[in-house]
């Protein structure tokens, strides 16, 4: 589980990092003493949980939690405070846990047990499969995606919320074809078909366009590849030796997965 810690006292951040380093499925991907820095980070990176000090200057933990939840509605929020007077605010915004300072490793482990259960209960109706062939399921049924439109979505998914430019998408998927305005028209037609299909299924917010490229909205779905990266796999997420098997560009990523998994290549 990817998490951030925000506390304006550097010594408390260091304490949290020390106590959490042996919790296997908790990955602290960012630690901040400034709330605005935390917001900028969450805008650009996938985060599943936030440990927030409550009493901070400029933007306190309560208001920070509200801002972060607008960016990632499914974010698990754990407040950290030396006082219990903020529990009412915690309840009002739907916080997930409240830690009283000082705390120890046993407390963090207990918190993790709780948020693992919460994360499991928050499994989304939309599920993206990359191990084997690429498929997008909603409530267990595959969406009607095909051809280059489907391949565009598959490639954007592998970037896990990071922008991929339209030029890079074209060069990877239409490998060997000259990058030109005329040829890019083929790409934009496929992208238009993809967006029309998603809109028709009520999923217009899944693929987000920027002035330069495309971004997948990771808050809307679960994905076997992401679960593998986070070392937080359920049975449906298990890796069985194949990754986006219908796309040649997936072979390089498969090699990295096999290497990290300790699985020999055929």
């Amino acid at each position: 589980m990817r998490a951030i810690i925000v506390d304006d006292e550097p010594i408390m951040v260091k304490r949290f990092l020390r106590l959490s380093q042996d919790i296997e499925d908790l990955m602290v991907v960012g630690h901040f003493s400034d709330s605005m820095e935390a917001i900028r980070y969450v805008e650009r990176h996938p985060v599943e949980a936030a440990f927030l000090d409550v009493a901070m200057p400029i933007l306190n933990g309560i208001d920070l939690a509200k801002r972060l939840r607008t960016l990632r509605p499914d974010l698990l929020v754990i407040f950290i405070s030396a006082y219990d007077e903020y529990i009412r605010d915690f309840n009002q915004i739907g916080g997930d846990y409240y830690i009283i300072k000082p705390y120890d490793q046993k407390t963090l482990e207990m918190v993790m047990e709780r948020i693992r259960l919460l994360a499991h209960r928050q499994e989304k109706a939309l599920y993206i499969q990359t191990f084997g062939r690429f498929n997008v399921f909603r409530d267990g049924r595959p969406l009607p995606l095909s051809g280059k439109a489907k391949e565009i979505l598959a490639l954007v998914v592998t970037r896990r919320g990071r922008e991929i430019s339209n030029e890079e998408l074209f060069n990877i998927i239409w490998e060997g074809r000259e990058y030109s305005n005329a040829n890019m028209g083929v790409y934009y037609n496929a992208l238009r078909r993809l967006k029309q299909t998603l809109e028709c299924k009520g999923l217009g917010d899944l693929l987000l366009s920027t002035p330069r490229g495309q971004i997948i909205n990771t808050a809307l779905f679960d994905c076997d590849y992401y679960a593998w990266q986070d070392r937080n796999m359920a049975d449906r997420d298990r890796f069985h030796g194949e990754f986006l098997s219908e796309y040649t560009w997936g072979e390089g990523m498969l090699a990295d997965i096999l290497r990290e998994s300790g699985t020999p290549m055929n």
Side-chain angles (χ1 to χ4, degrees):
M1 182 175 295
R2 294 169 182 254
I4 60 170
I5 168 71
V6 187
D7 195 314
D8 64 321
E9 297 183 62
I11 191 170
M12 296 307 298
V13 172
K14 290 180 180 179
R15 176 180 174 79
F16 182 91
L17 295 175
R18 177 172 56 81
L19 293 176
S20 65
Q21 64 183 355
D22 294 327
I23 301 177
E24 191 170 308
D25 59 344
L26 177 60
M27 295 184 295
V28 182
V29 295
H31 50 90
F32 309 94
S33 57
D34 182 288
S35 295
M36 299 310 297
E37 288 183 8
I39 291 170
R40 287 191 288 270
Y41 181 88
V42 173
E43 285 176 338
R44 302 189 305 270
H45 300 87
V47 176
E48 285 82 43
F51 293 80
L52 309 178
D53 182 32
V54 178
M56 294 188 292
I58 303 176
L59 191 67
N60 65 36
I62 305 293
D63 292 331
L64 173 58
K66 294 176 182 177
R67 294 279 295 273
L68 295 180
R69 280 271 177 85
T70 63
L71 297 171
R72 300 194 179 274
D74 292 331
L75 185 74
L76 296 168
V77 174
I78 302 91
F79 286 138
I80 303 173
S81 176
Y83 312 99
D84 60 8
E85 62 189 75
Y86 301 102
I87 289 180
R88 181 179 178 182
D89 297 307
F90 161 82
N91 289 331
Q92 286 180 342
I93 73 156
D96 298 296
Y97 213 93
Y98 197 103
I99 300 174
I100 300 292
K101 297 178 182 179
Y103 55 88
D104 55 19
Q105 185 175 1
K106 186 176 180 180
T107 300
L108 288 183
E109 290 172 348
M110 182 176 63
V111 171
M112 281 302 298
E113 288 181 11
R114 168 71 173 170
I115 64 177
R116 286 186 196 106
L117 289 173
L118 289 170
H120 179 70
R121 291 171 186 167
Q122 289 179 352
E123 286 185 354
K124 303 173 181 68
L126 203 64
Y127 180 75
I128 295 184
Q129 172 189 300
T130 63
F131 293 155
R133 298 180 67 83
F134 180 75
N135 278 296
V136 180
F137 297 93
R138 182 160 63 182
D139 296 323
R141 297 183 178 182
L143 295 184
L145 300 169
S146 62
K148 295 298 185 183
K150 184 177 183 180
E151 188 172 357
I152 289 171
L153 184 62
L155 184 51
V156 180
V157 165
T158 66
R159 297 304 192 263
R160 194 171 182 174
R162 298 191 305 275
E163 180 189 58
I164 178 171
S165 71
N166 294 315
E167 181 178 353
E168 184 177 0
L169 280 161
F170 173 82
N171 287 332
I172 291 175
I173 294 176
W174 282 268
E175 184 180 7
R177 186 175 293 193
E178 180 186 2
Y179 176 73
S180 66
N181 289 336
N183 285 335
M184 281 298 289
V186 177
Y187 161 74
Y188 283 116
N189 283 336
L191 180 64
R192 190 176 304 112
R193 291 197 304 274
L194 171 59
K195 284 183 167 289
Q196 287 173 345
T197 300
L198 295 176
E199 286 282 356
C200 181
K201 297 299 179 180
L203 296 171
D205 291 335
L206 180 62
L207 184 67
L208 308 175
S209 293
T210 70
R212 294 185 62 254
Q214 310 300 321
I215 296 174
I216 198 72
N217 186 350
T218 60
L220 298 184
F221 63 93
D222 292 321
C223 176
D224 52 4
Y225 179 48
Y226 300 173
W228 176 86
Q229 289 179 313
D230 295 341
R231 303 298 188 265
N232 189 29
M233 294 179 289
D235 286 342
R236 66 177 180 174
D237 304 319
R238 299 298 174 191
F239 174 61
H240 299 290
E242 294 185 331
F243 178 78
L244 299 174
S245 55
E246 66 266 59
Y247 305 130
T248 56
W249 50 262
E251 294 174 0
M253 298 179 69
L254 172 61
D256 292 336
I257 294 171
L258 291 172
R259 183 166 51 252
E260 290 189 40
S261 301
T263 305
M265 295 188 66
N266 295 332

